[in-house]
Amino acid sequence: MASEDVLRSASALASYNVLLQGLFRVLTFFLNAFTLRFVSKDLIGVVNVRLMLLYTTLVFLSREAFRRACLSAGGTEQVWRQNINLLWLTFPLGCAWGLVLVWVWVSVLTSPDPHVVPGYLPAVGLFCWAALQELLAEPFWVLAHAHLLIQFKVVAESLAMVAKCLVTMVLVISFPEFGLYIFGIAQCVYSGFLLLAYIFYFLWFLGSEEAEKKSFPLQTLSELLPGRPMIYWKQAKLTWSFFKQSFLKQILTEGERYVMTFLNVLNFADQGVYDIVNNLGSMVARFLFHPIEESFYVFFAKILNREQDIRKQKHVALAAEVLKYLLKLVLVIGLIITVFGYSFSHLALHIYGGESLTTGTGPSLLRCYSGYVLLLAVNGVTECFTFAAMSKEEVDQYNFVMLGLSASFLLLSYWLTGLFGGIGFILANCCNMALRILHSLIYIRRYFLPTDHFPLEGFRLHPAFLISLVISSALTVLSERTFCCDGGWQLRLVHAGVGGICFLAVVATVFTKETQLVAFIKSQLYICTDL
């Protein structure tokens, strides 16, 4: 596939993923707001922190390394059959991890009060089974993602999420006494629906005209089962390298949940409030930045050869240009979110959860998180490129860096949480994210040093844009203190109006001063609509 075609497909995938993640975030947003009115904060804390930590840990450790390695592979029929054999190892690996993790969650961790949070032990089993169901769909997911079956992914994952939300709402209204059973059943519905959707789709897709048009390497469903030729060992070694890295990355990604779960620094109710604020604060970040990172990792991995010297590669100029404008794009969006998120934290929480979220530390948590979003934005793009360009040896070396970051994060989380409560988690995340960004920037600079390309120029923003941000920040902070915190709905509407005017002014500055960035965005939107 030509590099321009890869860019077109990656851009389209990013856009569709943005829509998909947006649907997920909106549904989750309303689902949490809905369930807050029917269940206790303690139950929300157990579900969203402890049980979802079990689910994400099992799934991430079982599949992340396989995904990264297999998405970097070639596209011949023989290579894909070997990759499929490799991908089917995710399920037995998940079973092994499941036995260990269920034992820890049941026997090692303190169980919640059954009178306050009923159904803990069965819920652990249900969440484990839901994770294993999702692992069964892994070969299908990788094939769909690598061959950019965009529309199907959007439809399947959207319908699965809608099914989960509907089941949760029906059970919460009809049988609130079921407690954790509700959320365990809903999670099983999500992963089971997703697995069936992939199976039925590939039954139709394989051998069709659409498959021939996309040069799909397999023809029958039986070829998606394990068979000969066996595993490609070079790819297996790369998987092992990514596995060691993913183990550490999981600690960094879910570090605060591990600290809350294993060190008991917050009770279940406080964990519930922190998780609600965390989900609300990260909604825009996950909606925008994660799909971009996921999609453009595929782009960089396909046009760059991780084992070849950069001076011998054909598409360095394209990679540098795309990286430059991606950095500028996420930096602009991240700064806007930070400025306006700080001033509208109190209002957002009041609308979302009422006085129960605004009377405590909720607003302070969300203000801190708005600054963390900026670091999340930059880190997503820098690590996206770094992981796609690193050789196997460099991936192995980076594992030691991740080990140091993981250890420092856990220590910082424990120390800062003791000093500042839930805010300490966000501060520890900021410190570690800054270190990860620094490492990636050093790698990117060294990677492009033998060439005439300087993608880190993407961090240079127009002074007019920065000035508009400073003025908007001052005006919205003053507006919040004057109208929002102790005023009624009329004064809150005035605060929202001030923020709206400032936001429009900032956006207008971007469109008039950052013209090259706007041209890049328009070109990608044109590619997506053209597809």
Side-chain angles (χ1 to χ4, degrees), residues 249-298:
K249 186 178 180 181
Q250 174 67 3
I251 296 177
L252 290 175
T253 304
E254 301 280 9
E256 68 270 16
R257 291 187 179 185
Y258 286 116
V259 173
M260 282 189 280
T261 298
F262 287 92
L263 299 181
N264 297 319
V265 292
L266 298 175
N267 59 41
F268 288 120
D270 290 339
Q271 289 179 26
V273 173
Y274 175 85
D275 188 75
I276 290 168
V277 171
N278 182 49
N279 285 332
L280 185 61
S282 65
M283 184 172 64
V284 178
R286 292 175 182 174
F287 168 47
L288 289 174
F289 303 132
H290 181 69
I292 292 174
E293 175 188 355
E294 186 180 72
S295 302
F296 280 92
Y297 172 80
V298 176

Coordinates of all heavy atoms in Angstrom, one line a residue, residues 249-298:
K249 N 3.7 -0.6 31.4 CA 2.8 0.5 31.0 C 1.5 0.4 31.7 O 0.9 1.4 32.0 CB 2.7 0.4 29.5 CG 1.9 1.6 28.9 CD 1.8 1.5 27.4 CE 0.9 2.7 26.9 NZ 0.8 2.7 25.4
Q250 N 1.1 -0.8 31.9 CA -0.2 -1.0 32.6 C -0.2 -0.4 34.0 O -1.1 0.2 34.5 CB -0.6 -2.5 32.7 CG -1.8 -2.8 33.5 CD -3.1 -2.3 32.9 OE1 -3.1 -1.7 31.8 NE2 -4.2 -2.5 33.6
I251 N 1.0 -0.5 34.7 CA 1.1 0.0 36.0 C 1.0 1.6 36.0 O 0.4 2.2 36.8 CB 2.5 -0.4 36.7 CG1 2.5 -1.9 36.9 CG2 2.7 0.3 38.0 CD1 3.8 -2.5 37.4
L252 N 1.6 2.1 34.9 CA 1.6 3.6 34.7 C 0.2 4.0 34.4 O -0.3 5.0 34.9 CB 2.6 4.0 33.6 CG 4.1 3.9 34.0 CD1 4.9 4.3 32.8 CD2 4.4 4.8 35.1
T253 N -0.5 3.3 33.5 CA -1.8 3.7 33.0 C -2.9 3.6 34.1 O -3.7 4.5 34.3 CB -2.3 2.8 31.9 OG1 -1.3 2.8 30.8 CG2 -3.6 3.2 31.3
E254 N -2.8 2.5 34.9 CA -3.8 2.3 36.0 C -3.2 2.4 37.4 O -3.8 1.9 38.3 CB -4.4 0.9 35.8 CG -5.1 0.7 34.5 CD -6.5 1.3 34.4 OE1 -6.9 2.0 35.3 OE2 -7.2 1.0 33.4
G255 N -2.1 3.2 37.4 CA -1.4 3.2 38.7 C -2.2 3.7 39.9 O -2.1 3.1 41.0
E256 N -3.0 4.8 39.7 CA -3.8 5.3 40.8 C -4.8 4.2 41.3 O -5.1 4.2 42.5 CB -4.5 6.6 40.5 CG -5.6 6.5 39.4 CD -5.0 6.7 38.0 OE1 -3.8 6.6 37.8 OE2 -5.9 6.9 37.1
R257 N -5.4 3.4 40.4 CA -6.3 2.4 40.8 C -5.6 1.3 41.6 O -6.2 0.7 42.5 CB -7.0 1.8 39.6 CG -8.0 2.8 38.9 CD -8.8 2.1 37.8 NE -9.7 3.1 37.2 CZ -10.6 2.7 36.3 NH1 -10.7 1.5 35.9 NH2 -11.4 3.6 35.7
Y258 N -4.4 1.0 41.2 CA -3.6 0.0 41.9 C -3.3 0.5 43.3 O -3.4 -0.3 44.3 CB -2.3 -0.4 41.2 CG -2.5 -1.2 40.0 CD1 -2.2 -0.8 38.7 CD2 -3.0 -2.5 40.1 CE1 -2.4 -1.5 37.6 CE2 -3.2 -3.3 38.9 CZ -2.9 -2.8 37.7 OH -3.1 -3.6 36.6
V259 N -2.9 1.7 43.4 CA -2.6 2.3 44.8 C -3.9 2.3 45.6 O -3.9 1.9 46.8 CB -2.1 3.7 44.6 CG1 -1.9 4.4 46.0 CG2 -0.7 3.7 43.9
M260 N -5.0 2.7 45.0 CA -6.3 2.8 45.8 C -6.7 1.4 46.2 O -7.2 1.1 47.3 CB -7.4 3.4 45.0 CG -7.3 4.9 44.9 SD -8.8 5.7 44.1 CE -8.4 5.4 42.4
T261 N -6.5 0.4 45.3 CA -7.0 -1.0 45.5 C -6.1 -1.7 46.5 O -6.6 -2.4 47.5 CB -7.1 -1.8 44.2 OG1 -8.0 -1.1 43.3 CG2 -7.5 -3.2 44.4
F262 N -4.8 -1.6 46.4 CA -3.9 -2.4 47.2 C -3.4 -1.7 48.5 O -3.0 -2.4 49.4 CB -2.7 -2.9 46.4 CG -3.1 -3.9 45.4 CD1 -3.4 -3.6 44.1 CD2 -3.0 -5.3 45.7 CE1 -3.7 -4.5 43.1 CE2 -3.4 -6.2 44.8 CZ -3.7 -5.9 43.5
L263 N -3.4 -0.4 48.5 CA -2.9 0.3 49.7 C -4.0 1.0 50.5 O -3.7 1.5 51.6 CB -1.9 1.4 49.2 CG -0.7 0.8 48.5 CD1 0.3 2.0 48.1 CD2 0.1 -0.2 49.3
N264 N -5.3 0.9 50.0 CA -6.4 1.4 50.8 C -6.2 2.9 51.3 O -6.5 3.2 52.4 CB -6.7 0.5 52.0 CG -7.1 -0.9 51.6 OD1 -7.8 -1.1 50.7 ND2 -6.5 -1.9 52.3
V265 N -5.7 3.7 50.4 CA -5.5 5.1 50.8 C -6.8 5.9 50.7 O -6.9 7.0 51.3 CB -4.5 5.8 49.9 CG1 -3.1 5.2 50.1 CG2 -4.9 5.7 48.4
L266 N -7.9 5.4 50.0 CA -9.2 6.0 50.0 C -10.2 5.0 50.2 O -10.1 3.8 49.8 CB -9.4 6.7 48.7 CG -8.5 7.9 48.2 CD1 -8.8 8.3 46.8 CD2 -8.6 9.0 49.2
N267 N -11.3 5.3 50.9 CA -12.4 4.4 51.1 C -13.2 4.3 49.8 O -13.0 5.0 48.8 CB -13.3 4.8 52.2 CG -14.0 6.1 52.1 OD1 -14.4 6.5 51.0 ND2 -14.0 6.9 53.1
F268 N -14.1 3.3 49.7 CA -14.8 3.1 48.5 C -15.6 4.3 48.0 O -15.7 4.5 46.8 CB -15.8 1.8 48.6 CG -15.0 0.5 48.7 CD1 -15.2 -0.3 49.8 CD2 -14.2 0.1 47.6 CE1 -14.5 -1.5 49.8 CE2 -13.5 -1.1 47.7 CZ -13.7 -1.9 48.8
A269 N -16.2 5.0 48.9 CA -17.0 6.2 48.5 C -16.1 7.2 47.9 O -16.5 7.8 46.8 CB -17.8 6.8 49.7
D270 N -15.0 7.5 48.5 CA -14.0 8.5 48.0 C -13.4 8.0 46.6 O -13.2 8.8 45.7 CB -12.9 8.8 48.9 CG -13.3 9.5 50.2 OD1 -14.4 10.2 50.1 OD2 -12.7 9.5 51.2
Q271 N -13.2 6.7 46.5 CA -12.8 6.1 45.2 C -13.8 6.4 44.1 O -13.5 6.7 43.0 CB -12.5 4.6 45.4 CG -11.3 4.3 46.2 CD -11.1 2.8 46.3 OE1 -11.6 2.0 45.5 NE2 -10.5 2.3 47.4
G272 N -15.1 6.2 44.5 CA -16.2 6.5 43.6 C -16.2 7.9 43.1 O -16.3 8.2 41.9
V273 N -16.0 8.9 44.0 CA -16.0 10.3 43.6 C -14.8 10.6 42.7 O -14.9 11.3 41.7 CB -15.9 11.2 44.9 CG1 -15.7 12.7 44.5 CG2 -17.2 11.1 45.7
Y274 N -13.6 10.0 43.1 CA -12.4 10.3 42.3 C -12.6 9.7 40.9 O -12.2 10.3 39.9 CB -11.2 9.6 43.0 CG -10.0 9.7 42.1 CD1 -9.1 10.8 42.1 CD2 -9.6 8.6 41.3 CE1 -8.0 10.9 41.4 CE2 -8.5 8.7 40.5 CZ -7.7 9.9 40.5 OH -6.6 9.9 39.7
D275 N -13.2 8.5 40.8 CA -13.4 7.9 39.5 C -14.3 8.7 38.6 O -14.2 8.8 37.4 CB -13.8 6.5 39.7 CG -13.8 5.7 38.4 OD1 -12.7 5.3 37.9 OD2 -14.9 5.5 37.8
I276 N -15.4 9.2 39.3 CA -16.4 10.0 38.5 C -15.7 11.3 37.9 O -15.8 11.6 36.8 CB -17.5 10.4 39.4 CG1 -18.4 9.2 39.7 CG2 -18.4 11.5 38.8 CD1 -19.4 9.4 40.8
V277 N -14.9 11.9 38.8 CA -14.2 13.1 38.3 C -13.1 12.7 37.3 O -12.9 13.4 36.3 CB -13.5 13.8 39.5 CG1 -12.5 14.9 39.0 CG2 -14.5 14.4 40.5
N278 N -12.5 11.6 37.5 CA -11.5 11.1 36.5 C -12.1 10.9 35.1 O -11.6 11.2 34.1 CB -10.8 9.9 37.1 CG -9.7 9.4 36.1 OD1 -8.8 10.1 35.7 ND2 -9.7 8.1 35.9
N279 N -13.3 10.2 35.1 CA -13.9 9.9 33.9 C -14.4 11.2 33.2 O -14.3 11.3 32.0 CB -15.1 9.0 34.1 CG -14.7 7.5 34.4 OD1 -13.6 7.1 33.9 ND2 -15.5 6.8 35.1
L280 N -14.9 12.1 34.0 CA -15.4 13.4 33.4 C -14.3 14.2 32.9 O -14.4 14.7 31.8 CB -16.1 14.2 34.5 CG -16.8 15.5 34.1 CD1 -17.9 15.2 33.1 CD2 -17.4 16.2 35.3
G281 N -13.1 14.2 33.6 CA -12.0 15.0 33.1 C -11.3 14.4 31.9 O -10.8 15.1 31.1
S282 N -11.4 13.1 31.8 CA -10.7 12.4 30.7 C -11.6 12.2 29.5 O -11.1 11.6 28.5 CB -10.1 11.1 31.2 OG -11.2 10.2 31.5
M283 N -12.8 12.6 29.6 CA -13.8 12.3 28.5 C -13.3 12.9 27.2 O -13.2 12.2 26.2 CB -15.2 12.8 28.9 CG -16.2 12.4 27.8 SD -17.9 12.8 28.3 CE -17.8 14.6 28.4
V284 N -12.9 14.2 27.2 CA -12.5 14.8 26.0 C -11.2 14.2 25.5 O -10.9 14.1 24.3 CB -12.4 16.3 26.2 CG1 -11.9 17.0 24.9 CG2 -13.8 16.9 26.5
A285 N -10.3 13.9 26.5 CA -9.0 13.4 26.1 C -9.1 12.1 25.4 O -8.5 11.8 24.4 CB -8.1 13.2 27.4
R286 N -9.9 11.2 26.0 CA -10.1 9.9 25.3 C -10.9 10.0 24.0 O -10.7 9.3 23.1 CB -10.9 9.0 26.3 CG -10.1 8.6 27.5 CD -10.9 7.8 28.5 NE -10.1 7.4 29.7 CZ -10.6 6.8 30.7 NH1 -11.9 6.4 30.7 NH2 -9.9 6.6 31.8
F287 N -11.8 11.0 24.0 CA -12.6 11.2 22.8 C -11.7 11.6 21.6 O -11.9 11.2 20.5 CB -13.7 12.2 23.1 CG -14.4 12.8 21.9 CD1 -14.9 11.9 20.9 CD2 -14.6 14.1 21.8 CE1 -15.6 12.5 19.8 CE2 -15.3 14.7 20.7 CZ -15.8 13.8 19.7
L288 N -10.8 12.5 21.9 CA -9.9 13.0 20.8 C -8.6 12.4 20.7 O -8.2 12.0 19.6 CB -9.7 14.5 21.0 CG -11.0 15.4 20.8 CD1 -10.7 16.9 21.2 CD2 -11.4 15.4 19.4
F289 N -7.8 12.2 21.8 CA -6.4 11.9 21.7 C -6.2 10.4 21.5 O -5.2 10.0 20.7 CB -5.7 12.4 22.9 CG -5.8 13.9 23.1 CD1 -6.2 14.4 24.3 CD2 -5.7 14.8 22.0 CE1 -6.3 15.8 24.5 CE2 -5.9 16.2 22.2 CZ -6.2 16.7 23.5
H290 N -6.9 9.6 22.2 CA -6.6 8.1 22.1 C -6.9 7.6 20.6 O -6.1 6.9 20.1 CB -7.5 7.4 23.1 CG -7.2 5.9 23.0 ND1 -6.1 5.3 23.4 CD2 -8.0 4.9 22.6 CE1 -6.1 4.0 23.2 NE2 -7.3 3.7 22.7
P291 N -8.0 8.0 20.0 CA -8.2 7.5 18.6 C -7.1 8.0 17.6 O -6.6 7.3 16.8 CB -9.5 8.1 18.2 CG -10.2 8.3 19.5 CD -9.2 8.7 20.5
I292 N -6.6 9.2 17.9 CA -5.5 9.8 17.0 C -4.2 8.9 17.3 O -3.5 8.5 16.3 CB -5.2 11.2 17.3 CG1 -6.4 12.1 16.9 CG2 -3.9 11.7 16.7 CD1 -6.3 13.6 17.3
E293 N -3.9 8.7 18.5 CA -2.7 7.9 18.8 C -2.8 6.5 18.2 O -1.9 5.9 17.6 CB -2.6 7.8 20.4 CG -1.4 6.9 20.8 CD -1.4 6.6 22.3 OE1 -2.3 7.2 23.0 OE2 -0.6 5.8 22.8
E294 N -4.0 5.8 18.4 CA -4.2 4.4 17.9 C -4.1 4.3 16.4 O -3.4 3.5 15.9 CB -5.5 3.9 18.4 CG -5.8 2.5 18.1 CD -7.1 2.0 18.7 OE1 -8.2 2.4 18.1 OE2 -7.2 1.3 19.7
S295 N -4.7 5.3 15.7 CA -4.7 5.2 14.3 C -3.4 5.6 13.6 O -3.0 5.0 12.7 CB -5.8 6.2 13.8 OG -7.1 5.8 14.3
F296 N -2.7 6.6 14.2 CA -1.5 7.1 13.5 C -0.3 6.2 14.0 O 0.7 6.3 13.3 CB -1.2 8.6 13.8 CG -2.0 9.4 12.9 CD1 -3.3 9.9 13.2 CD2 -1.5 9.8 11.6 CE1 -4.0 10.7 12.4 CE2 -2.3 10.6 10.8 CZ -3.5 11.0 11.1
Y297 N -0.5 5.4 15.0 CA 0.5 4.4 15.3 C 0.6 3.4 14.1 O 1.6 3.0 13.6 CB 0.2 3.6 16.6 CG 1.1 2.4 16.8 CD1 2.4 2.6 17.2 CD2 0.7 1.1 16.4 CE1 3.3 1.5 17.4 CE2 1.5 0.0 16.6 CZ 2.8 0.2 17.1 OH 3.6 -0.9 17.2
V298 N -0.6 3.0 13.6 CA -0.7 2.1 12.4 C 0.0 2.8 11.2 O 0.8 2.2 10.5 CB -2.2 1.8 12.1 CG1 -2.2 1.0 10.8 CG2 -2.8 1.1 13.2

